[in-house]
């Protein structure tokens, strides 16, 4: 499997509970490397654009309000099959369905406040990474 990069976001429910280090330990223990990282507050426009694929869904407005309710940590993870590996470590969207030992099973508060985002394909990873980082901000 090839070395890949994927976009990860530690969401406001997790930064509020000071879980950044515990969550990132999961990625590092699984062999993923954090090659770019910043803690930011998303603007409403950024959150709307980032989740624009969900614009027609009933939960969109609440999701945007949640994503701007506190700081997030946006980061690039690098490693063998990083996109799929990250999704495995995160667990299912709804923590009630997430496998034991996954980040969402262990830390998520709800289907909305589910602690982490991870790109769902290599194509989206490239788009999402370029949305948050300039090439010179990524040090592999
Ligand atoms: N979400 C929500 N309600 C739902 C489904 C999703 O609030 O019924 C939120 C949740 O925070 C999720 C995000 O919308 O992580 C994006 O949804 P997606 O289906 O892309 O899930 P993910 O790829 O994050 O697992």
């Amino acid at each position: 499997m090839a070395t890949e990069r994927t976009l990860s976001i530690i969401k406001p429910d997790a930064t509020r509970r000071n879980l950044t280090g515990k969550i990132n330990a999961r990625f590092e223990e699984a062999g993923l490397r954090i090659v770019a990282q910043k803690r930011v507050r998303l603007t409403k426009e950024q959150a709307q654009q980032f989740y624009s694929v969900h614009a027609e869904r009933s939960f969109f407005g609440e999701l945007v309000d949640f994503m701007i309710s506190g700081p997030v940590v946006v980061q690039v993870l690098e490693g063998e099959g990083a996109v799929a590996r990250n999704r495995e470590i995160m667990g299912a969207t709804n923590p009630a369905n997430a496998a034991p030992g996954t980040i969402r099973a262990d830390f998520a508060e709800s289907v909305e406040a589910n602690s982490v985002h991870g790109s769902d394909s290599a194509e989206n990873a490239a788009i999402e990474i370029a949305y948050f980082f300039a090439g010179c901000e990524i040090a592999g």
Side-chain angles (χ1 to χ4, degrees):
M1 206 181 280
T3 297
E4 282 180 342
R5 287 175 174 173
T6 190
L7 187 87
S8 162
I9 302 180
I10 301 180
K11 295 185 179 183
D13 66 288
T15 59
R16 177 169 45 77
R17 287 175 290 151
N18 215 17
L19 292 171
T20 299
K22 283 203 170 90
I23 288 173
N24 279 334
R26 304 284 181 102
F27 297 134
E28 293 185 338
E29 280 157 11
L32 295 174
R33 186 170 291 274
I34 301 165
V35 296
Q37 187 178 58
K38 57 189 167 191
R39 182 174 171 109
V40 295
R41 276 180 186 268
L42 298 180
T43 65
K44 188 159 197 166
E45 291 66 33
Q46 283 173 325
Q48 284 171 333
Q49 193 180 340
F50 184 75
Y51 275 125
S52 60
V53 64
H54 295 306
E56 304 307 320
R57 308 284 292 277
S58 58
F59 59 79
F60 181 68
E62 282 187 12
L63 173 61
V64 167
D65 286 344
F66 163 63
M67 290 300 290
I68 64 172
S69 67
V72 297
V73 178
V74 291
Q75 50 194 16
V76 179
L77 306 179
E78 182 180 87
E80 294 280 299
V83 173
R85 189 83 187 96
N86 180 38
R87 299 283 301 186
E88 246 175 64
I89 300 164
M90 289 165 52
T93 308
N94 186 341
N97 304 325
T102 59
I103 291 170
R104 284 168 165 170
D106 290 345
F107 299 123
E109 292 182 321
S110 67
V111 65
E112 175 184 88
N114 60 4
S115 303
V116 280
H117 165 83
S119 308
D120 63 2
S121 67
E123 293 81 358
N124 284 336
I127 294 166
E128 292 177 1
I129 290 169
Y131 185 66
F132 283 111
F133 292 97
C136 64
E137 294 177 306
I138 305 171

